Amino acid sequence: MMRRPFIAGNWKMNKTVAEAVELAESLCEALGDVTEMDIAVCTPATDLYAVSQALEGSNIGVGAQNMYWEDKGAFTGETSPVMVKELAEYVIIGHSERREYFGETDETVNLKIKSALAHGLKPIVCIGESLEQNKAGETVSFVKSQIEGAFAGLSEEDARRLVLAYEPIWAIGTGLTATPEQANDIIREAIRDVLKELYNEETAEAIRIQYGGSAKPGNIADLIVMPEIDGALVGGASLKADAFSEMIKNAVAALK
Ligand code: 13P
């Protein structure tokens, strides 16, 4: 089963509109001829409009970093899937920072996934264990429980429209990266095997799974050649046009 590689930047809470447009335009110039993989940038909600305009017709997709599950109403401060859908193709759901600082749970993640899919958005769903869980040998059981929570009630057809991002929390923004072998093993044991149990082998093999956590130009090649790793969700290294473009190019070269 050939899964198309997919590298997405997660800008987190960075970039004013002017900065966002500048970065988007530079990426467009540097990466305009890349056909070998899907590329996207997930921007703050305030940048979505300008970035979607700047990238219109390009090979770089746009994503939001979060959304609420209701279409509209008295939910001050939230962004609805209807609003996101006008401006973006993807939406990150359940990033560990949202789970840790903003009370996101497996239940809210599941509600958001269902809503995003119902609106034709492509969710990038984040999962991953903490350092304590990792040290206690709980990685596989914890990630499995996150997968079961995220996919609860999803049909096989819906499940295939998700992208997963395995982001060990201890590797995010720390400079520590899971070794490619470690990440590959967890993705196989804790993710694809559960998807096989929940659905079937074909569906488990069809779903794209990114790695996230201190991915950068220097380590992307070793990560992306691993059989279970289909790309990356990139934080820090996606904030500069040079670094992000170099990463994509290194990944393309490694896959040749
Ligand atoms: P860093 O690449 O900065 O470690 O962030 C990873 C991440 O959280 C992407 O969603």
Side-chain angles (χ1 to χ4, degrees):
M1 161 83 56
M2 275 303 288
R3 295 180 294 265
R4 186 169 162 80
F6 179 24
I7 296 183
N10 172 9
W11 293 358
K12 306 192 179 181
M13 198 175 73
N14 295 286
K15 305 293 174 189
T16 62
V17 170
E19 291 165 347
V21 169
E22 192 187 340
L23 176 53
E25 284 173 351
S26 304
L27 291 175
C28 223
E29 218 164 279
L31 298 171
D33 56 355
V34 175
T35 54
E36 293 89 343
M37 61 180 61
D38 290 340
I39 306 170
V41 291
C42 300
T43 83
T46 46
D47 293 334
L48 283 174
Y49 180 76
V51 170
S52 68
Q53 297 278 307
L55 295 177
E56 197 172 1
S58 80
N59 57 333
I60 304 175
V62 179
Q65 298 173 10
N66 179 39
M67 51 165 254
Y68 196 56
W69 58 81
E70 296 286 355
D71 288 5
K72 61 179 179 178
F75 302 102
T76 301
E78 293 293 315
T79 311
S80 98
V82 180
M83 298 165 184
V84 173
K85 176 68 182 157
E86 272 194 312
L87 307 172
E89 178 180 358
Y90 302 96
V91 57
I92 297 175
I93 293 177
H95 192 280
S96 59
E97 287 149 18
R98 294 217 56 87
R99 294 180 192 252
E100 185 177 351
Y101 308 134
F102 303 102
E104 200 83 78
T105 64
D106 285 342
E107 287 70 36
T108 61
V109 166
N110 180 250
L111 285 167
K112 290 180 179 190
I113 292 171
K114 286 176 174 158
S115 170
L117 290 168
H119 286 90
L121 284 158
K122 297 173 186 161
I124 301 175
V125 179
C126 302
I127 52 195
E129 82 288 0
S130 67
L131 185 59
E132 298 73 55
Q133 290 166 324
N134 186 280
K135 281 190 173 153
E138 294 165 358
T139 299
V140 172
S141 62
F142 180 71
V143 173
K144 273 187 178 179
S145 72
Q146 285 187 315
I147 293 283
E148 285 164 0
F151 283 81
L154 289 197
S155 69
E156 191 180 331
E157 197 193 354
D158 278 347
R160 287 178 184 230
R161 290 161 58 210
L162 289 195
V163 175
L164 289 171
Y166 169 59
E167 304 203 309
I169 296 169
W170 49 271
I172 296 177
T174 56
L176 297 171
T177 326
T179 67
E181 290 76 17
Q182 268 176 326
N184 194 72
D185 288 352
I186 299 296
I187 291 175
R188 197 182 49 244
E189 284 171 43
I191 307 179
R192 284 211 209 275
D193 282 0
V194 188
L195 293 172
K196 212 181 292 175
E197 283 164 29
L198 291 175
Y199 299 96
N200 51 52
E201 173 135 24
E202 221 197 336
T203 298
E205 294 297 325
I207 294 173
R208 292 189 293 183
I209 306 178
Q210 300 172 318
Y211 166 79
S214 300
K216 47 186 178 262
N219 60 22
I220 189 68
D222 292 337
L223 288 162
I224 205 155
V225 295
M226 299 307 290
E228 304 292 355
I229 300 177
D230 305 318
L233 187 58
V234 186
S238 74
L239 294 174
K240 291 217 167 83
D242 296 359
F244 195 60
S245 315
E246 192 187 342
M247 245 179 123
I248 306 274
K249 287 180 179 164
N250 291 350
V252 168
L255 290 171
K256 283 222 165 105

